[in-house]
Amino acid sequence: MITFSAPFKDAFKMALAMVIAYAIALSQGWGTPFWAGFAVAFCGLTGVGESLNKGMLRVFGTLFGAVMGLALLSLFPQDRWAFMVTMSLFVAFCTYMMGGTTRWYFWFMAGITVPIVAVTAEPNAVYDFNRAVLRSQQTTLGIVVYTLVSILIWPVNSRRGFEGAVRGVVDDQRRLLSLYMEHLTGTSGKAASGQDAAQEATKLRADLTRTLASLPTKLDQAELDTYEIWEVRRTWHGFIGQLGALQGTLEAWRQLFHELDAVDAERLIPALPVLRAELDARFKAVADMLSGEIITQPNLYADLACEVDRDQLATLPHFQQSAVLLAASYLTRLEQETRALFDAASDIRGLSTKHAARPALGEPVRPSPLDPDRLIGVLRQTTVLWLTLLLFIYVPDLPAASALVIVSAVFVMLLSAHPQIPVRVFLWPMAFGIVLGAVAHIFVMPHLSSFLGLGTMLFVTVFALVYLLYSPRHMLKRYFGLAFFMVLVSIDVHQHYSFLTAVNLALVCLMILGSLAITQYFPVSLRPEDRFQAILRRFLRSSAFLMSTTGWSRERAPSRLQRWRKAHHLSEVATAPGKLAAWAHALPSAALGGTTPAQVQDLVTSVQAISDRL
């Protein structure tokens, strides 16, 4: 039996879906069928649930953006400046919303659809409406076609990937707990591999941070193609939240270790060996249940007391006494949270158990409603939009002026989510896509006289791009190749050819890169060294403010404004380590000077420790 690789399967499905989408669009006389092709190219992922999740976000985002675009056109039919201001406010709102949800793709599609509907339309209002409807129906067509292809040909269920990721988190937390217990009891320090254990713990923490952040999105995908997960989706959401809370408790507990190095933890907390064995058994039982095994161990439900020997505690200095008591409280929380994790896993698997009441999750730190970094992304997006709109209005005969506005909106909205990416990384993928599309448009398309030849060219090109550029490091080149190929070949009901199509698109791309390069320095500097220092300064100011609030409840009840300020600074402190870590990887060697990347990483780790404490 022939076994095909994952790149071959994904490339075949995307190429086949592309040909079918173009065939249906052309047979119905729909213009600009590359919109259906875009839906296939950018929503065609490996799993059925992944593709359907992204596809639905694309469809609903497009519909929302189309409706808003038509509404703005109807409100300001003759007032150009009022329309432009209102449109820029709506796109800015969509850009800001992208940073606060796992369903960011909905807001992205809504934001770019408004200029597509408004800017590229002719003055005839009927054509505006037709364009909005045409884009919406072709986007839906592409999603439906790829979904059917992915279901009928080599279907890949998202459930296995999601549950495998969850089991990986449980296994990593179990191993991390074991390493922390070894450190607390002194066994890792006595072993020759104590340094290796510390390095392993650091790697586990990094892996857990990455995987935990991806679990909500994976759950969204698995809900759509697996009925068993859809039935218990609320329990799954609680389970993922419990994993995050447990990880936070583990890290808060770890921060005490340097203060406990000089004490005998097993002597001060007599139940520590029993608790260690019980927690390990719970983690193992949860992992087994997620693998499909049935667990019947009633002792896993028992409450374990984590009492401190008061006589032994009295012999310690006061600082060590407080550290031991705090460590015991964290161990009690770990006991409660692992029991709740076990209960949730048994609920998910439908096992009949009699649970004790689950502990409520600690209230998570909610993101601030006004995140400064997201606002900077909005400012950059608005600046680029107005630069291109002014060029569109005041430069007569600007080639592909509408494409300048639309494509720049696409790039700057994507960069608002990843501002660390330098503009120069887009240059060679753009050049590759333009050359590929130009060759097909100029030398291949004029020789095709039937859909058989056109479909063959589409299938071969799309298959080759996906298969040969399947590696994640070639992702930009693959997407640019697919996008510019579809735009430049200009497949339409009424076909026409022009060398200027490729030249104009190249000029547009250079202007877009120029506007993005300008906004890397103006109106706010987005150089990595400047952003790193700015985030660090905000973190220190927020930390100082939070320390000043420790007496509020004793002196007087805080006002609503004070509570809002405290929530804002809590969000700043909670999110700063992740932002610093992202910018640290982008710091150029010239900005580091005599500082090594390892020292920068140590600084980020220290900031994370302070954040956990606060």
Side-chain angles (χ1 to χ4, degrees):
M1 182 178 179
I2 300 176
T3 303
F4 297 102
S5 63
F8 181 92
K9 293 178 180 178
D10 287 350
F12 183 87
K13 288 191 288 187
M14 183 172 290
L16 180 61
M18 190 76 71
V19 173
I20 295 173
Y22 268 90
I24 295 175
L26 292 174
S27 68
Q28 298 301 310
W30 297 345
T32 57
F34 67 79
W35 284 336
F38 274 14
V40 173
F42 296 111
C43 297
L45 302 173
T46 300
V48 175
E50 296 173 89
S51 303
L52 191 55
N53 178 63
K54 193 172 183 181
M56 290 175 64
L57 294 175
R58 187 179 182 95
V59 169
F60 289 120
T62 300
L63 288 172
F64 180 55
V67 170
M68 290 302 301
L70 292 174
L72 294 178
L73 287 169
S74 65
L75 289 172
F76 308 103
Q78 301 296 329
D79 195 336
R80 170 189 292 172
W81 296 108
F83 170 77
M84 288 170 55
V85 169
T86 310
M87 182 182 71
S88 65
L89 288 174
F90 176 77
V91 178
F93 173 74
C94 292
T95 304
Y96 187 82
M97 293 301 294
M98 283 174 58
T101 176
T102 58
R103 296 179 174 88
W104 63 271
Y105 198 61
F106 169 87
W107 295 106
F108 170 72
M109 291 306 306
I112 67 172
T113 300
V114 170
I116 289 174
V117 171
V119 178
T120 61
E122 295 178 353
N124 190 338
V126 175
Y127 189 78
D128 296 336
F129 178 78
N130 290 343
R131 177 172 291 273
V133 173
L134 186 63
R135 175 168 171 78
S136 301
Q137 69 186 17
Q138 293 216 36
T139 298
T140 306
L141 168 66
I143 300 306
V144 171
V145 168
Y146 187 84
T147 301
L148 290 175
V149 169
S150 63
I151 290 174
L152 297 174
I153 301 176
W154 296 310
V156 177
N157 193 283
S158 302
R159 176 181 183 176
R160 179 180 299 179
F162 166 67
E163 292 187 346
V166 174
R167 284 196 301 272
V169 169
V170 173
D171 290 338
D172 285 349
Q173 287 185 336
R174 179 188 179 191
R175 176 58 184 157
L176 195 62
L177 177 67
S178 176
L179 292 173
Y180 287 173
M181 283 291 188
E182 289 175 2
H183 182 94
L184 188 64
T185 57
T187 54
S188 62
K190 297 173 185 176
S193 59
Q195 188 174 1
D196 294 338
Q199 293 174 351
E200 182 184 358
T202 301
K203 182 180 182 302
L204 284 172
R205 286 195 298 271
D207 292 343
L208 282 166
T209 300
R210 226 174 5 251
T211 309
L212 281 169
S214 69
L215 286 182
T217 301
K218 290 181 181 295
L219 177 55
D220 289 342
Q221 297 163 358
E223 286 177 1
L224 294 176
D225 66 1
T226 307
Y227 179 71
E228 291 83 357
I229 290 182
W230 173 262
E231 277 190 310
V232 290
R233 61 190 182 281
R234 291 184 178 84
T235 309
W236 269 118
H237 280 287
F239 187 87
I240 291 174
Q242 193 71 57
L243 286 175
L246 197 151
Q247 185 64 24
T249 304
L250 280 172
E251 290 311 296
W253 180 43
R254 179 181 66 88
Q255 298 300 326
L256 292 170
F257 285 175
H258 70 283
E259 299 173 12
L260 298 173
D261 285 341
V263 303
D264 188 344
E266 290 185 274
R267 183 168 57 89
L268 290 161
I269 309 175
L272 191 59
V274 176
L275 181 64
R276 176 180 179 179
E278 181 69 15
L279 295 183
D280 184 77
R282 289 179 185 176
F283 274 117
K284 182 180 183 303
V286 170
D288 290 342
M289 278 191 289
L290 294 178
S291 300
E293 299 182 21
I294 298 177
I295 305 298
T296 54
Q297 291 179 261
N299 62 311
L300 295 175
Y301 300 112
D303 290 324
L304 296 177
C306 188
E307 300 292 338
V308 176
D309 188 325
R310 296 289 173 173
D311 294 333
Q312 298 290 340
L313 185 68
T315 63
L316 299 178
H318 291 296
F319 280 113
Q320 289 184 348
Q321 288 185 27
S322 62
V324 170
L325 291 172
L326 188 56
S329 71
Y330 284 140
L331 286 169
T332 300
R333 283 173 56 182
L334 286 174
E335 188 276 330
Q336 294 173 341
E337 289 169 350
T338 52
R339 178 160 47 87
L341 205 65
F342 183 93
D343 292 346
S346 63
D347 280 353
I348 288 170
R349 290 307 182 212
L351 303 178
S352 56
T353 54
K354 295 181 180 179
H355 303 155
R358 296 189 191 133
L361 285 172
E363 184 176 354
V365 177
R366 297 180 180 179
S368 171
L370 294 176
D371 185 284
D373 296 290
R374 288 163 63 188
L375 289 174
I376 290 173
V378 169
L379 184 61
R380 184 185 196 185
Q381 172 270 315
T382 304
T383 304
V384 170
L385 180 61
W386 275 92
L387 282 174
T388 54
L389 284 173
L390 293 175
L391 287 173
F392 180 83
I393 294 172
Y394 289 110
V395 179
D397 301 323
L398 183 68
S402 59
L404 173 64
V405 176
I406 295 166
V407 179
S408 63
V410 172
F411 278 99
V412 76
M413 287 186 72
L414 289 174
L415 280 177
S416 68
H418 304 283
Q420 304 85 11
I421 300 177
V423 177
R424 63 178 180 274
V425 303
F426 296 122
L427 181 60
W428 292 115
M430 274 186 176
F432 169 75
I434 291 172
V435 170
L436 176 68
V439 169
H441 179 76
I442 297 169
F443 298 106
V444 179
M445 286 292 294
H447 300 286
L448 303 177
S449 58
S450 67
F451 187 78
L452 178 62
L454 179 64
T456 302
M457 183 204 68
L458 274 175
F459 185 92
V460 171
T461 305
V462 173
F463 180 89
L465 283 172
V466 177
Y467 183 77
L468 297 176
L469 303 175
Y470 193 77
S471 171
R473 62 192 181 95
H474 297 312
M475 180 178 63
L476 280 178
K477 192 178 291 186
R478 179 172 77 248
Y479 284 133
F480 274 103
L482 289 169
F484 287 162
F485 167 75
M486 286 184 285
V487 170
L488 284 173
V489 295
S490 303
I491 298 172
D492 212 330
V493 177
H494 303 289
Q495 193 68 44
H496 56 85
Y497 308 100
S498 173
F499 174 74
L500 290 178
T501 303
V503 176
N504 289 340
L505 183 59
L507 291 174
V508 163
C509 289
L510 290 176
M511 286 187 282
I512 291 171
L513 291 178
S515 64
L516 293 176
I518 290 172
T519 54
Q520 195 166 5
Y521 301 92
F522 173 84
V524 176
S525 174
L526 289 172
R527 295 190 305 169
E529 56 270 33
D530 293 335
R531 297 314 314 148
F532 189 90
Q533 292 181 1
I535 294 170
L536 187 58
R537 285 195 296 269
R538 293 207 318 264
F539 171 80
L540 294 174
R541 284 198 297 268
S542 295
S543 300
F545 176 84
L546 291 177
M547 292 303 298
S548 70
T549 66
T550 54
W552 277 7
S553 59
R554 292 190 295 272
E555 297 172 0
R556 68 184 187 282
S559 65
R560 180 175 299 180
L561 176 62
Q562 288 176 321
R563 290 197 299 270
W564 184 87
R565 289 183 65 197
K566 185 173 182 178
H568 168 74
H569 288 293
L570 274 172
S571 177
E572 283 286 286
V573 167
T575 57
K579 295 176 181 178
L580 289 173
W583 283 107
H585 292 295
L587 286 172
S589 55
L592 292 175
T595 306
T596 64
Q599 289 174 317
V600 176
Q601 187 56 49
D602 288 341
L603 173 61
V604 175
T605 303
S606 299
V607 169
Q608 181 67 65
I610 297 172
S611 174
D612 291 338
R613 285 294 185 93
L614 287 170

